[in-house]
Amino acid sequence: MEIIYYIDLLGTMVFAISGAMAAMRQNIDIFGATFTGFVTAIGGGSLRDIFLNLRPVWVDDGNYLVAILLGVLIAVAFNKGLYQLAKTLFLFDAIGIGFFTVVGVQKSLQYDSSGIAAVVLGMFSAVMGGVTRDTLMNETPLIFRKEIYATACLSGAILFVTLH
């Protein structure tokens, strides 16, 4: 179970990078970039935890806030280098949704969700942070622009539940 914890922290950091980069792309200040990184990183997992009748994990575990801060600092410090990489924002989204789909399904199953509910909650964990980020940036959420985004989450979640 420890590996899931570290995957969750890594996914949190990656989504914080994604959120902060989206904000900086819109010339939003460091406070706005930090806020956007925060809601991108914890949005989907918090929603999942609320649906599972749980207190969101970042409230009790400060390591999540450290991971978010680290992600924002990486985005700020390496801003130009990250933007020079082709499709960096999409890359970080892809990494983040992979991590969060697995964590969301695993946590949902751990709390006795049905298989289909675990699939839905895994997908919610993965995409809702990005939906919140894009909405804050006044953009059409990536999930509505890139069909593979949700399909990959759904496929991964179904495979995880099936193999479980």
Side-chain angles (χ1 to χ4, degrees):
M1 188 60 140
E2 190 173 302
I3 188 76
I4 294 293
Y5 175 75
Y6 290 110
I7 288 173
D8 198 24
L9 282 175
L10 184 59
T12 299
M13 184 184 75
V14 166
F15 259 21
I17 292 169
S18 170
M21 286 179 61
M24 290 185 300
R25 191 178 68 227
Q26 302 252 352
N27 297 317
I28 294 175
D29 68 12
I30 188 70
F31 177 80
T34 303
F35 179 80
T36 305
F38 179 81
V39 297
T40 303
I42 59 93
S46 293
L47 185 61
R48 175 206 60 227
D49 288 351
I50 290 167
F51 285 159
L52 290 172
N53 250 351
L54 302 171
R55 186 173 167 150
V57 67
W58 63 268
V59 174
D60 296 319
D61 186 344
N63 288 332
Y64 286 88
L65 299 176
V66 170
I68 292 167
L69 183 58
L70 184 59
V72 170
L73 291 174
I74 288 170
V76 170
F78 300 105
N79 184 24
K80 293 202 187 295
L82 291 173
Y83 280 122
Q84 290 177 358
L85 297 173
K87 300 181 182 182
T88 301
L89 188 59
F90 187 72
L91 170 67
F92 284 115
D93 272 342
I95 294 169
I97 65 168
F99 288 150
F100 282 154
T101 299
V102 169
V103 170
V105 171
Q106 175 65 34
K107 189 167 190 178
S108 299
L109 291 172
Q110 179 183 351
Y111 285 92
D112 299 323
S113 295
S114 68
I116 191 71
V119 167
V120 170
L121 289 168
M123 193 168 66
F124 267 44
S125 296
V127 302
M128 290 310 291
V131 168
T132 304
R133 176 206 60 224
D134 292 345
T135 302
L136 285 172
M137 297 297 102
N138 201 27
E139 295 180 1
T140 302
L142 189 60
I143 188 174
F144 301 136
R145 292 183 280 142
K146 301 284 185 186
E147 184 179 316
I148 189 70
Y149 193 80
T151 305
C153 292
L154 189 59
S155 299
I158 289 169
L159 181 62
F160 189 100
V161 168
T162 303
L163 293 175
H164 183 266

